[in-house]
């Protein structure tokens, strides 16, 4: 059993992975994000009760680039006090357990590959759509994170007048329509024509993001997660329509696109970091 932690820009979730499921799960909003010690104390407080169980280690996913070997995180998204944090050392000294740190979307991809919709594929990409857009990459059964743990940041690629993330994440609705993805989703469910048109436009942009993944990594499958994925029925058709422009139509026919089905998949992936690292291999299984 391993402890998994999913640290987001607004909340923290912790739990223990046991036989492919998360037990003893707790979550809360992250407080006092301008104060490094306060946020670290909150993380430690959440982990502490779980160390009473027979766990082998701690895995944590964070929305940032990571020095995976040293466990140092840099410039964590939406946590201004976390510019450079030696998270591995801090938590290992606190709990006397091995600690492993990685990007949060990488953890999502690992979780899907090992426990979720990506189990049948050796080459897959997990795309997480929330306030931003990130990707985790599995190539030949191994996590590919890049030299600085920054591989998969397709949302930051320049696109139109901004970047892909501007148009293909929850940010699109606040930036272009002065609403939220959640409100647009609720309105679309109620048949609001304006909201449905907004999701159609979003789908075209997200289709462009998927094409970037296809041209770059040519995966067998893409698994889509994140809060905005709940609206998939409202943007899927527009997304798939963009594939008619893809230069390799046979690749489009072979590509499988799945939605995540497990709300705990990022926690499961974070917990799996322990086994990955203890075995001194980048293989997910």
């Amino acid at each position: 059993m391993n402890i998994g932690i999913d640290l987001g820009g607004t909340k923290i979730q912790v739990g223990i992975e046991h036989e492919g499921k998360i037990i003893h799960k707790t979550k809360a909003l992250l407080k006092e994000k301008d104060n490094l010690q306060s946020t670290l104390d909150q993380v430690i407080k959440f982990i502490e009760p779980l160390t009473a169980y027979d766990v082998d280690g701690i895995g944590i996913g964070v929305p940032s680039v990571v020095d995976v070997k040293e466990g140092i995180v840099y410039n964590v998204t939406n946590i201004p006090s976390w510019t450079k944090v030696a998270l591995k050392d801090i938590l290992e000294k606190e709990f006397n357990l091995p600690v492993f740190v990685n990007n949060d979307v990488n953890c999502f991809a690992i979780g899907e590959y090992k426990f979720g919709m990506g189990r049948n594929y050796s080459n897959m990409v997990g795309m997480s759509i929330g306030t931003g857009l990130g990707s985790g990459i599995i190539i030949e059964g191994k996590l590919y994170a890049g030299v600085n743990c920054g591989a998969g940041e397709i949302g930051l690629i320049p696109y139109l007048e901004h970047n892909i993330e501007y148009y293909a994440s929850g940010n699109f609705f606040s930036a272009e329509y002065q609403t939220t993805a959640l409100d647009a989703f609720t309105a679309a469910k109620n048949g609001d024509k304006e909201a449905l048109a907004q999701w159609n436009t979003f789908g075209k942009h997200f289709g462009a993001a998927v094409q970037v993944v296809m041209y770059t990594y040519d995966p067998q499958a893409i698994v889509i997660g994140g809060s905005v994925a709940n609206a998939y029925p409202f943007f899927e058709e527009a997304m798939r329509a963009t594939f008619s422009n893809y230069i390799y139509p046979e690749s489009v026919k072979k590509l499988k696109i799945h939605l995540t089905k497990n709300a705990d998949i990022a926690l499961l992936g974070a917990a799996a970091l322990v086994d990955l690292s203890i075995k001194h291999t980048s293989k997910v299984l």
Side-chain angles (χ1 to χ4, degrees), residues 3 29 44 51 69 84 130 141 208 219:
I3 296 172
L29 294 176
I44 289 168
T51 60
K69 182 178 179 181
K84 181 181 179 181

Side-chain angles (χ1 to χ4, degrees), residues 41-229:
D41 288 344
Q42 189 177 5
V43 171
I44 289 168
K45 181 180 178 181
F46 266 75
I47 297 171
E48 193 168 22
L50 301 184
T51 60
Y53 297 92
D54 185 20
V55 296
D56 295 322
I58 300 169
I60 179 167
V62 294
S64 69
V65 292
V66 180
D67 180 332
V68 174
K69 182 178 179 181
E70 300 298 330
I72 300 172
V73 302
Y74 297 91
N75 306 115
V76 178
T77 303
N78 292 322
I79 309 180
S81 60
W82 286 43
T83 55
K84 181 181 179 181
V85 182
L87 192 57
K88 177 182 174 71
D89 284 348
I90 292 168
L91 296 182
E92 286 186 340
K93 288 177 183 177
E94 183 70 30
F95 297 113
N96 196 30
L97 285 168
V99 175
F100 305 96
V101 189
N102 213 300
N103 174 267
D104 58 344
V105 185
N106 286 344
C107 291
F108 166 70
I110 292 170
E112 290 293 351
Y113 179 68
K114 187 171 182 180
F115 302 105
M117 300 303 294
R119 282 176 293 180
N120 296 324
Y121 309 102
S122 58
N123 294 275
M124 60 148 288
V125 173
M127 298 181 71
S128 181
I129 326 169
T131 305
L133 175 67
S135 299
I137 305 144
I138 305 293
I139 299 175
E140 296 300 318
K142 299 178 181 180
L143 173 69
Y144 179 72
V147 175
N148 301 298
C149 201
E153 293 288 358
I154 64 163
L156 302 183
I157 294 174
Y159 171 70
L160 300 180
E161 297 178 1
H162 300 280
N163 58 22
I164 290 176
E165 186 172 83
Y166 178 94
Y167 299 94
S169 71
N171 171 78
F172 176 66
F173 294 90
S174 57
E176 293 293 313
Y177 302 120
Q178 292 72 56
T179 185
T180 66
L182 178 58
D183 286 344
F185 175 49
T186 301
K189 287 194 295 183
N190 292 328
D192 184 89
K193 291 183 178 180
E194 183 178 352
L196 290 168
Q198 291 170 359
W199 283 110
N200 185 71
T201 303
F202 174 88
K204 294 175 182 177
H205 295 308
F206 187 71
V210 171
Q211 287 197 46
V212 169
V213 169
M214 294 169 68
Y215 281 123
T216 307
Y217 302 110
D218 191 24
Q220 295 166 285
I222 293 173
V223 182
I224 301 172
S227 58
V228 178

Side-chain angles (χ1 to χ4, degrees), residues 19-30:
E19 298 181 349
K21 296 182 179 180
I22 292 295
I23 58 175
H24 307 301
K25 177 182 174 181
T26 56
K27 59 182 178 180
L29 294 176
L30 198 60

